[in-house]
């Protein structure tokens, strides 16, 4: 069964550094998302992306964050100048038809900021 | 009032029990309903996907949607220790391209051998 793949599975970085989290969505899906989950807390929406542009973003997704689809398969989340509170699991997700079809998640990247 | 309410548990049951997990919601426009299973430090895994009201069965899992009561349920029959996980409900209106997936906070389930 097709799946969303994310790399790396774990990223450790120092405060102030930039990180790029990578995702390969399911190939026929057109809508892409990033979610965040702080340990023990609920899944939080960050951003949605369709037709090569951001369609919606949350209050969490400030100027520190950016997304890009650099080619036909990858979808990336960049976090500039990381802070301690950015430590979390970051999940990429995709859906075929947006909110009229189910959301499929990757296994996440665990980001640890020291 | 939150869009989606889900009892966080924790819920602990003996192996073989029938488990009932529930969510309530406030937005009557929701049409698409999902249940996810999430193991510790893993991504949410789609278990069930239903449209509008009614029941859907897949193996030991049954999803029910009651739109009149704004209530959805996931039943797990013959529960196994491997079912121990957090279960998330999610729902959407089904129009637009943005963030219209609304998640519950998740219910933590432990199945005791």
């Amino acid at each position: 069964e097709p799946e969303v793949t994310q790399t790396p599975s774990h990223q450790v970085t120092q405060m102030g550094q930039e990180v790029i989290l990578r995702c390969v969505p399911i190939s026929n899906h057109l809508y892409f998302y990033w979610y965040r989950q702080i340990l023990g807390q609920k899944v939080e929406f960050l951003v949605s992306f369709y037709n090569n542009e951001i369609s919606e973003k949350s209050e969490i997704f400030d100027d520190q964050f950016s997304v890009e689809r650099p080619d036909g398969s990858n979808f990336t989340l960049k976090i500039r100048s990381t802070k301690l509170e950015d430590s979390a699991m970051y999940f990429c997700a995709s859906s075929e038809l947006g909110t009229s079809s189910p959301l499929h998640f990757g296994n996440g990247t665990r980001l640890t900021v020291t | 009032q939150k869009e989606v309410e889900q009892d966080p548990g924790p819920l602990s049951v003996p192996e073989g029990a029938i488990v009932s997990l529930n969510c309530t919601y406030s937005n009557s426009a929701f049409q698409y309903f999902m249940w996810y299973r999430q193991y510790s430090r893993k991504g949410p895994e789609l278990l069930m996907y239903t449209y509008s009201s009614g029941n859907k069965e897949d193996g030991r899992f049954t999803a029910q949607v009651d739109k009149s009561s704004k209530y959805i349920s996931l039943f797990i029959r013959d529960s196994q220790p491997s079912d121990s996980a957090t279960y998330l409900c999610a729902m959407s209106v089904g129009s637009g391209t943005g963030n219209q997936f609304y998640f519950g906070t998740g219910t933590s389930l432990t199945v005791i051998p």
Side-chain angles (χ1 to χ4, degrees):
Chain A
E1 185 174 321
E3 58 181 23
V4 177
T5 56
Q6 289 187 244
T7 54
S9 57
H10 188 197
Q11 174 90 49
V12 181
T13 189
Q14 289 190 325
M15 197 167 50
Q17 296 297 303
E18 174 182 287
V19 295
I20 297 176
L21 311 183
R22 302 180 193 280
C23 169
V24 178
I26 295 173
S27 61
N28 65 329
H29 286 189
L30 302 177
Y31 299 80
F32 314 119
Y33 306 80
W34 284 101
Y35 287 82
R36 181 179 82 174
Q37 188 176 37
I38 294 170
L39 188 63
Q41 298 186 23
K42 67 179 294 183
V43 171
E44 299 176 292
F45 168 74
L46 292 178
V47 66
S48 58
F49 192 87
Y50 169 72
N51 201 26
N52 285 317
E53 60 182 28
I54 291 173
S55 48
E56 195 163 338
K57 58 184 180 180
S58 72
E59 294 173 350
I60 303 169
F61 194 89
D62 59 21
D63 292 342
Q64 181 194 8
F65 294 90
S66 62
V67 290
E68 191 178 39
R69 187 157 164 81
D71 55 43
S73 59
N74 291 286
F75 180 50
T76 62
L77 174 69
K78 183 188 290 186
I79 309 175
R80 288 181 282 274
S81 189
T82 49
K83 302 182 282 234
L84 293 176
E85 54 265 37
D86 294 328
S87 295
M89 288 288 287
Y90 288 81
F91 295 110
C92 175
S94 68
S95 71
E96 186 179 2
L97 300 172
T99 54
S100 301
S101 59
L103 198 58
H104 295 262
F105 285 87
N107 263 329
T109 293
R110 181 155 65 103
L111 177 65
T112 302
V113 182
T114 61
Chain B
Q1 184 184 12
K2 291 181 184 176
E3 295 271 7
V4 180
E5 300 270 5
Q6 184 176 11
D7 186 339
L11 185 61
S12 183
V13 301
E15 184 174 354
I18 296 174
V19 176
S20 173
L21 304 166
N22 311 293
C23 289
T24 58
Y25 60 94
S26 56
N27 187 349
S28 58
F30 286 143
Q31 297 189 84
Y32 299 88
F33 303 91
M34 289 143 275
W35 283 98
Y36 292 88
R37 177 175 62 195
Q38 186 178 25
Y39 294 115
S40 181
R41 295 188 184 276
K42 296 290 186 183
E45 172 193 2
L46 181 68
L47 281 178
M48 301 291 280
Y49 177 68
T50 53
Y51 169 71
S52 195
S53 284
N55 293 0
K56 183 175 183 179
E57 188 173 322
D58 184 1
R60 296 185 295 111
F61 299 92
T62 299
Q64 284 186 353
V65 175
D66 182 348
K67 291 192 72 180
S68 61
S69 302
K70 300 195 188 78
Y71 188 90
I72 68 170
S73 300
L74 177 71
F75 297 96
I76 307 174
R77 289 183 299 282
D78 188 25
S79 56
Q80 302 295 309
S82 59
D83 295 327
S84 299
T86 296
Y87 290 80
L88 303 169
C89 64
M91 46 200 80
S92 66
V93 173
S95 61
T97 59
N99 169 39
Q100 292 177 12
F101 290 101
Y102 295 88
F103 284 84
T105 52
T107 299
S108 175
L109 171 68
T110 301
V111 180
I112 302 168

